[in-house]
Amino acid sequence: MSSKNDLCIPVSEEKSDHGSCQISIKEDCVFDYSQRGQWLRAAVLGATDGLVSVASLMMGVGAVKHDVRAMILTGFAGLVAGACSMAIGEFVSVYSQRDVEVAQMKRDGRSGGNNDQESEKEALPNPIQAAAASAFAFMLGAIMPLLAAAFIVDHKVRLGVVVATVSLALVVFGWIGAFLGRTPVMKSCLRVLVGGWMAMAITFALTKWIGSTGL
């Protein structure tokens, strides 16, 4: 028989509930940014590749020809060819990855219920989506130097505008990649910018040298 002075306080249950709430809050706040790596790599690579490739082609032609029409046609041809190349390459690469994962699933004997099979199929990479995303990203980057040079008549001014436009776009792409991936912004922007400058400078110099030899 308990007395009137006895007091029962359910402390353990409240603490356990409070602890579980803290754990759930921490789990909700944690986000694995490495999951963004695959699509982020494809998007940044496609846009940067389109920007640098087409701009380098235009700089190479501009080194030996002053005609704006020649630069635009060369850049447009590079845009179409590069977008097709990126799409085909990404399609083949992702499809090969998909085949490897399907084969691994069969070797592991993961033949559970229908829900498990559907979830596993949805988790597999889609080669068509990857190809379309790569082609679109390439075209998005490649159109920038084309638009920058399309309406400028003076040859030297045109080359300077192309370099300035590409430099600005490279910094923006580097910042976007660093922001989404939570990586150092300065390091990412500098890496992309220096790489683009090197590609344009090498293409311009070699084309200028070959053109001066009369080949």
Side-chain angles (χ1 to χ4, degrees):
M1 184 175 179
S2 61
S3 63
K4 294 181 180 180
N5 294 328
D6 293 335
L7 181 62
C8 180
I9 301 175
V11 177
S12 60
E13 294 182 359
E14 292 181 357
K15 287 184 177 180
S16 62
D17 294 341
H18 182 66
S20 62
C21 291
Q22 288 181 343
I23 294 173
S24 62
I25 291 173
K26 289 181 180 179
E27 289 178 352
D28 293 338
C29 294
V30 175
F31 182 82
D32 187 8
Y33 290 98
S34 63
Q35 298 297 327
R36 293 177 172 175
Q38 185 174 1
W39 66 264
L40 178 61
R41 177 199 62 81
V44 174
L45 175 62
T48 306
D49 192 10
L51 179 69
V52 175
S53 297
V54 173
S56 298
L57 282 173
M58 295 174 65
M59 293 295 293
V61 173
V64 294
K65 289 188 176 182
H66 294 185
D67 186 13
V68 63
R69 187 169 180 269
M71 289 186 66
I72 298 301
L73 288 177
T74 302
F76 181 77
L79 184 151
V80 176
C84 293
S85 177
M86 288 290 293
I88 294 172
E90 194 70 18
F91 180 85
V92 173
S93 176
V94 175
Y95 215 110
S96 299
Q97 179 184 352
R98 183 186 179 94
D99 291 341
V100 171
E101 293 185 9
V102 170
Q104 185 64 39
M105 289 167 57
K106 292 180 180 179
R107 285 193 295 268
D108 293 342
R110 289 180 287 178
S111 58
N114 293 330
N115 294 333
D116 294 337
Q117 292 180 357
E118 291 296 329
S119 61
E120 289 177 353
K121 289 181 180 179
E122 291 178 358
L124 292 175
N126 191 320
I128 297 178
Q129 290 181 355
S134 296
F136 178 77
F138 186 94
M139 290 187 292
L140 181 64
I143 199 67
M144 295 181 183
L146 285 172
L147 293 177
F151 306 103
I152 300 177
V153 178
D154 187 82
H155 175 64
K156 293 183 179 180
V157 175
R158 190 189 316 125
L159 293 179
V161 170
V162 169
V163 173
T165 303
V166 172
S167 300
L168 179 61
L170 287 173
V171 172
V172 172
F173 288 158
W175 179 84
I176 292 174
F179 176 76
L180 295 177
R182 294 297 188 270
T183 57
V185 175
M186 185 63 65
K187 184 178 180 180
S188 177
C189 293
L190 186 62
R191 180 172 57 240
V192 176
L193 183 61
V194 172
W197 283 348
M198 290 179 61
M200 289 187 292
I202 292 172
T203 305
F204 182 88
L206 288 178
T207 309
K208 187 76 172 179
W209 175 73
I210 293 174
S212 63
T213 58
L215 295 178

